């Protein structure tokens, strides 16, 4: 009887004693702030726009994956607040949403948590197994875009943007159906005047912060890679060498682009990665210069992206 | 309780005149209750060695055998080894012994008879089954780069392929780290090393022997489809003894002794790092802390019955403080209490009934802890069946209660949250096993061990049954030449990339992993106490969760790919005990580890065609000893073809990272105060050449670990 009682007590108490002896603390960090990141397309992306040379451009589809919200320490020199603290990252997101921004409205990109002065990084990327389908995007989109392949600029990668549509002027119709495979990691997004950074947030315990991103499809049609440059379509229409009414990448790759030297801020601009042609072709202008401008913080200037080949 | 005699005087025997070459003599000694040698009979051995050993033995002194603490007469067998020293004549001090040869230290005694007040102790070496590589602590102590830790020496054994030099996660004959199980005195433990690369989680003085079962292991071992690392602890001792060490980063000690007239023994040991203090000086925002403890109590109820309690645990903690907020980067702990009842059977053999309680916990991402509360019972029986066979059988049942903190702060739409919760939900896992094998001497030269193991696994609502037949054959073709063959099946529930305390894949998702492992080897005893083993192995793996070996490096770790695969190769192991004046080994593995997933077949992610380890230790005299070790690994396959995009692919014939080599060294000065008391100053460094390794095109390291400290014992 005594043995049985002892055995029963031991079986109950021994595991409890071991658990009580554990030393690893629980999560006793203070309450963080939440950071809600959203994205919405410009009206031009959704409904089309008119270029300075009289073309009516309208996207049929503008399918792109956005996500991977990370919190980082602000880069030295960007911090204008000397008393700012460093960043405590509590929770980041490791996935992305796939949207067709022709039909998407203001959409969620991710919910992160942290404390301190944090830089909010995000990515325009190819879809993965962790991609969540958002407004307008279909499983077929995902399955097509997740396939790796080459283009003129990338040897092997998923598709990161599908932009299809047409431009019309005076009865002439020119189609475009462009796939982009390079992806961008946005680390630093300056303000419009370039004097501050707009993707930094001060996260205080219990607070609710937000960051709004914007998809600007029209940026693909900038004559030059700066905000004051006009939106044009004539050079693209002129690149339709075979006159079949559709402008393809091989045609863009041999069409001339407006020289950078004519730009208002030409002295300050550095392309994010190498052009294929020298001088740059119209394809280079769209793929290298303008593509980086498509995603940015709402109200801010174009971000300074890193061409990203690695996944997490 | 019976305690065998222990040598108290030097047992070196001068090399006899007229002798040549190496020789071995086995003596049967009768030792009086006062420790003197009453008689010494030659059981085997040639003249003039036999006579020299016999006459020398009559002058030896022993601590007498005891029963329940009372001295008694004992009969033992004692092996004396003679080594002809031609090329290695030492410039040693006169007191160092010798002039020619010395007796080899006896292996761990094994009781075989108990009669008429005389115990008989067999001190011949243990015959290990095929597919086992064994490391004794006495030898590992001298191994450069192992820091005296038997577990750290595993990586030098043939068939072991490291993932990264210096890190204790390895493939064994093609089986990934998640398929390698760790056991300490029969109790499963989740990991062996502090903070991944630190010292082992058990004080080295407690470990008598580490066995690496590379496949087709005895029926006793199961639930792991790759390999088993099993550490046997030292037998309880009634004489007070201990060891201690003070190193740059930690301090450790172990003390054991008897009580109640020798009926009981008590042991306490542990290690504590003061790296937290050191780091706070160098880098105040980083905190690194580790510690472990061991305690053991045994008590003889009578001559045949003993009860015992063995408790041990380990704790690791690494954190970073930013904005006065401490974030845990790595945290893990485990604790075990094993209560045993041992019964010596009247007709020979023994029975053990044990209950184990355990608690594992790990900090995973996002501030969550995962944990496992385990309760297990096991029964182990060893029973002679006549003169030529021994039955070994047992059963065990284990229950694991897994739980994990929910993500306090998380994006509810993040698929990672859902995948994590699906992979590691709170639940109870169970396992029930029965096993048996018979070590059967068909003939004085042929030993066959057929075995069978049955396991039932349950997790959540899922369950599975496995049947694992095993067979081992040892054939002594002639003196000094032995054949070692083994074949066996093994099953394992789905496993994580590496063993993580408190984290196990739930619900048997995707079914059990399976392996069929076979090996054929030849063991050859060569002159100068040198042994050579050549083994060919072929392991087939089915339904494996080998994420490291299959998936591109950037794939999601929460996705468990299933793959087929094999590991084939040849191992060469040439060794002379490092405890000798000049000792060393060469361990070489030529292998190919292949995986197939879907339609694709390719080398495993850490397939290394060539793995070479060699070491040399030399006694310089005056108790100075120096050693060096050379390790060379050919490079693992790369994932991405040159210029590829983000999602790499594994190619059938991949490019490979460059080969890696490193040199370790060790220097020891020992002061002996009597037969057992010593103090040693040890300087040691792993990767003294500061070489970096390239893994998947990325430079890693250098992973170099220096150590300087004092060790002592009594």
């Amino acid at each position: 009887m005594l043995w049985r009682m002892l055995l029963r007590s031991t079986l109950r108490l021994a595991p409890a004693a071991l658990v009580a002896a554990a030393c690893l603390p629980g999560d006793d960090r203070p309450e963080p702030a939440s950071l809600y990141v959203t994205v919405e397309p410009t009206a031009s992306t959704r409904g089309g726009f008119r270029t300075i040379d009289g073309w009516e451009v309208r996207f049929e589809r503008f399918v792109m994956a956005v996500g991977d919200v990370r919190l980082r320490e602000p880069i030295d020199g960007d911090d204008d607040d000397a008393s700012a603290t460093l960043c405590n990252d509590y929770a980041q997101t490791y996935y992305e949403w796939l949207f067709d921004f022709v039909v998407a409205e203001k959409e969620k990109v991710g919910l992160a948590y942290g404390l301190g002065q944090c830089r909010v990084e995000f990515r325009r990327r190819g879809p993965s197994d962790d991609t969540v389908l958002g407004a307008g995007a279909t499983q077929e989109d995902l399955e097509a875009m997740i396939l790796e392949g080459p283009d003129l600029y990338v040897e092997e990668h998923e598709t990161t943007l599908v932009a299809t549509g047409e431009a019309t002027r005076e009865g002439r119709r020119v189609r475009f159906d462009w796939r982009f495979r390079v992806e961008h990691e946005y680390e630093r997004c300056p303000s419009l005047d370039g004097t501050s950074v707009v993707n930094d947030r001060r996260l205080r315990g219990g607070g609710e912060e937000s960051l709004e991103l914007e998809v600007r499809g029209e940026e693909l049609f900038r004559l030059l890679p700066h905000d004051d440059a006009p939106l044009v379509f004539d050079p693209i229409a002129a690149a339709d060498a075979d006159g079949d009414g559709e402008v393809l990448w091989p045609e863009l790759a041999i069409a001339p682009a407006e020289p950078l030297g004519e730009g208002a801020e030409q002295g300050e601009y550095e392309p994010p990665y190498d052009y294929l042609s020298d001088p740059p072709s119209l394809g280079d202008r769209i793929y290298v210069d303008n593509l980086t401008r498509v995603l940015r913080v709402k109200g801010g200037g174009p971000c300074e992206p890193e061409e990203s080949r690695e996944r997490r | 309780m019976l305690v065998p005699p222990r040598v108290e005087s030097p047992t070196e025997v001068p090399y006899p005149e007229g002798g040549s070459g190496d020789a071995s003599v086995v003596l049967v000694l009768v030792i009086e209750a006062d420790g003197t040698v009453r008689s010494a009979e030659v059981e085997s051995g040639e003249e003039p060695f036999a006579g020299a050993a016999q006459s020398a033995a009559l002058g030896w002194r022993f601590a007498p055998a005891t029963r329940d603490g009372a001295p008694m007469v004992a009969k033992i067998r004692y092996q004396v080894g003679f080594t002809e020293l031609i090329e290695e004549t030492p410039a040693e001090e006169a007191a160092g012994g010798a002039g020619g040869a010395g007796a080899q230290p006896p292996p761990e005694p094994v009781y075989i008879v108990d009669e008429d007040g005389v115990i008989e102790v067999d001190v011949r070496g243990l015959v290990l089954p095929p597919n086992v590589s064994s490391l004794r602590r006495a030898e590992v102590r001298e191994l450069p780069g192992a820091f005296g830790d038997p577990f750290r020496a595993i990586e030098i054994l043939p068939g072991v392929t490291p993932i990264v030099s210096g890190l204790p996660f390895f493939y064994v004959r093609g089986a990934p780290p998640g398929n390698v199980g760790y056991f300490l005195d029969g109790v499963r433990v989740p990991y062996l090393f502090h903070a991944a690369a630190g010292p082992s989680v058990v004080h080295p003085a407690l470990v008598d022997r580490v066995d690496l079962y590379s496949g087709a292991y005895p029926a006793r071992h199961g639930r792991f489809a790759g390999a088993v690392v099993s550490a046997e602890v030292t037998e309880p001792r009634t004489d007070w003894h201990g060891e201690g060490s003070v190193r740059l980063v930690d301090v450790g000690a172990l003390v054991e002794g008897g009580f109640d007239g020798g009926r009981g023994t008590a042991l306490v040991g542990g290690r504590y790092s003061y790296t937290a203090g050191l780091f706070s000086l160098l880098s105040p925002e980083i905190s690194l802390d580790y510690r472990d403890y061991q305690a053991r109590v045994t008590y003889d109820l009578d001559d045949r019955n003993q009860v015992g309690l063995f408790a041990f645990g380990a704790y690791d903690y690494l954190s970073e403080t930013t904005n006065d907020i401490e974030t845990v980067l790595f945290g893990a702990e485990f604790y075990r209490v094993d209560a045993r009842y041992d019964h010596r059977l009247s007709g020979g053999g023994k029975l053990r009934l044990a209950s184990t309680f355990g608690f594992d916990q790990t900090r995973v991402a996002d501030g969550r802890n995962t944990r496992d509360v385990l309760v297990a019972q096991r029964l182990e029986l060893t029973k002679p069946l006549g003169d030529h066979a021994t039955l070994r059988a047992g059963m065990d049942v284990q229950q694991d209660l897994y739980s994990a903190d929910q993500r306090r702060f998380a994006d509810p739409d993040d698929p990672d949250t859902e995948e994590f919760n699906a992979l590691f939900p709170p639940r109870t896992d169970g396992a029930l096993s029965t096993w048996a094998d018979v070590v059967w001497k068909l003939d004085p030269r042929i030993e066959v061990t057929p075995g069978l193991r049955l396991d039932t696994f349950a997790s959540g609502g899922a369950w599975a049954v496995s049947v694992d037949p095993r067979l081992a054959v040892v054939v002594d073709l002639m003196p000094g030449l032995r054949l070692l063959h083994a074949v066996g099946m093994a099953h394992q529930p789905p496993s994580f990339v590496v063993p993580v305390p408190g984290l196990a894949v739930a619900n048997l998702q995707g079914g059990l992993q399976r392996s069929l492992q076979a090996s054929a080897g030849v063991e050859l005893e060569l002159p100068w106490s040198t042994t050579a083993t050549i083994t060919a192995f072929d392991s087939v793996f089915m339904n494996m969760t080998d994420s490291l070996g299959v998936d591109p490096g950037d794939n999601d770790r929460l996705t468990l790919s299933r793959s087929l695969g094999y590991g084939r190769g040849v191992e060469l192991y040439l060794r002379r005990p490092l405890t000798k004046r000049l000792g060393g080994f060469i361990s070489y593995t030529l292998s190919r580890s292949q995986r197939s997933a879907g339609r694709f077949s390719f080398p495993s992610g850490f397939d290394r065609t060539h793995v070479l380890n060699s070491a040399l230790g030399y006694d310089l005299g005056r108790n100075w000893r120096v050693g060096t070790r050379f390790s060379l690994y050919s490079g693992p396959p790369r994932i991405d073809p040159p210029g590829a995009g983000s999602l790499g692919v594994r190619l059938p014939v991949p490019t490979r990272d460059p080969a890696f080599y490193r040199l370790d060294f060790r220097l020891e000065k020992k002061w002996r105060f009597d037969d057992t008391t010593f103090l040693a100053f040890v300087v040691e460094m792993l990767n003294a050449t500061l070489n970096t390794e390239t893994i998947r095109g990325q430079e890693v390291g250098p992973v170099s670990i220096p150590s300087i400290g004092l060790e002592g014992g009594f």
Side-chain angles (χ1 to χ4, degrees), chain B residues 326-403:
Chain B
E326 190 173 20
T327 302
V328 180
L329 304 176
F330 173 78
E333 61 186 334
F334 75 87
Y335 306 94
R336 297 285 185 275
V337 176
D338 194 55
R340 297 99 182 261
Y341 163 69
D342 290 311
H343 174 67
R344 196 169 296 282
L345 301 173
S346 57
K350 59 186 178 182
L351 181 77
R352 166 169 285 187
L353 180 62
S355 292
T356 307
F357 306 98
F359 179 66
D360 295 358
Q361 188 166 223
T362 294
R363 174 63 57 90
V364 294
D366 305 319
R368 285 173 293 170
N369 287 356
T370 63
R371 53 190 76 81
D372 170 23
V373 177
L374 72 90
V375 180
Q377 280 80 42
R378 68 183 188 280
L379 178 69
E380 296 170 348
L381 169 73
T382 304
K383 171 88 178 154
L385 302 175
D387 294 336
H388 305 295
T390 301
L391 170 69
R392 303 181 300 192
M395 64 181 299
D396 69 88
V397 58
Q398 180 168 315
Q399 198 172 45
D400 292 272
L401 280 73
Y402 289 102
S403 60

Side-chain angles (χ1 to χ4, degrees), chain A residues 3-303:
Chain A
W3 278 105
R4 196 175 297 170
M5 282 176 58
L6 272 175
L7 183 64
R8 199 174 296 164
S9 303
T10 304
L11 284 172
R12 283 180 185 159
L13 292 177
L18 284 177
V19 174
C23 301
L24 197 61
D27 186 6
D28 53 4
R29 296 174 297 174
E31 186 80 8
S34 65
L35 174 73
Y36 193 69
V37 181
T38 58
V39 64
E40 65 180 311
T42 56
S44 297
T45 308
R46 284 173 56 89
F49 57 95
R50 185 182 181 86
T51 63
I52 197 171
D53 44 16
W55 291 86
E56 293 288 342
V57 181
R58 178 175 293 272
F59 290 107
E60 293 165 358
R61 305 207 73 205
F62 200 90
V63 185
M64 189 169 80
V66 183
D68 219 19
V69 177
R70 309 292 180 98
L71 301 179
R72 295 276 187 268
E73 306 287 349
I75 299 166
D76 289 345
D78 283 343
D79 194 348
D80 55 0
D81 183 351
S83 65
T85 57
L86 301 174
C87 178
N88 289 93
D89 146 46
Y90 278 52
Q92 312 180 95
T93 72
Y94 297 94
Y95 73 110
E96 57 282 323
W97 292 83
L98 188 65
F99 298 111
D100 178 357
F101 286 100
V102 173
V103 298
E105 298 178 348
K106 186 172 183 177
E107 309 287 350
K108 173 186 175 181
V109 170
L111 177 62
Y113 292 86
L115 280 176
Q117 186 73 13
C118 299
R119 170 140 313 165
V120 185
E121 297 178 1
F122 49 95
R123 288 194 194 193
R124 194 189 62 75
R125 62 188 304 183
S128 70
D129 291 339
D130 282 341
T131 297
V132 179
L133 294 180
T138 65
Q139 183 65 27
E140 289 72 28
D141 291 330
L142 192 152
E143 289 172 4
M145 293 177 72
I146 204 170
L147 291 176
E148 292 184 62
D151 66 17
L152 292 173
Y153 295 84
V154 178
E155 287 190 38
E156 197 79 14
H157 204 281
E158 310 95 340
T159 301
T160 60
L161 170 62
V162 173
T164 63
E166 62 180 21
T168 55
R169 185 178 68 181
E170 297 169 357
R172 186 182 173 195
R173 181 185 304 263
V174 177
R175 285 192 53 77
F176 55 90
D177 185 350
W178 298 335
R179 263 74 174 161
F180 301 82
R181 291 185 180 272
V182 74
E183 70 178 37
H184 292 124
E185 181 176 349
Y186 295 92
E187 295 177 349
R188 185 177 187 278
C189 298
S191 59
L192 272 175
D193 59 9
T195 58
S196 62
V197 176
V198 294
N199 59 326
D200 285 355
R201 289 291 182 274
R202 173 70 71 85
L203 303 177
R204 295 182 173 84
E208 295 180 357
E209 295 288 335
S210 64
L211 181 72
E212 295 180 8
L213 308 180
E214 186 176 61
V215 170
R216 302 171 61 87
E218 64 270 26
E219 294 296 331
L220 293 175
F221 301 92
R222 289 277 178 204
L223 180 66
L224 289 165
H226 60 83
D227 286 348
D228 296 332
L231 301 175
V232 295
F233 196 82
D234 267 347
I236 295 170
D240 182 17
D242 59 6
D244 66 350
E246 182 165 7
V247 184
L248 305 174
W249 281 117
E251 294 168 323
L252 294 168
I254 56 174
E258 185 75 8
L260 281 173
E262 301 297 316
E265 298 174 350
Q266 49 89 16
E268 300 172 12
Y269 178 74
E270 283 287 333
Y273 43 97
D274 293 341
Y275 297 124
L276 285 184
S277 309
D278 186 16
S281 67
L282 189 54
D284 289 330
R285 173 61 33 80
I286 296 170
Y287 206 119
V288 178
D289 296 323
N290 290 346
L291 178 61
T292 64
R293 304 170 53 82
V294 162
L295 181 63
R296 62 175 70 177
V297 176
K298 191 174 183 180
C303 299

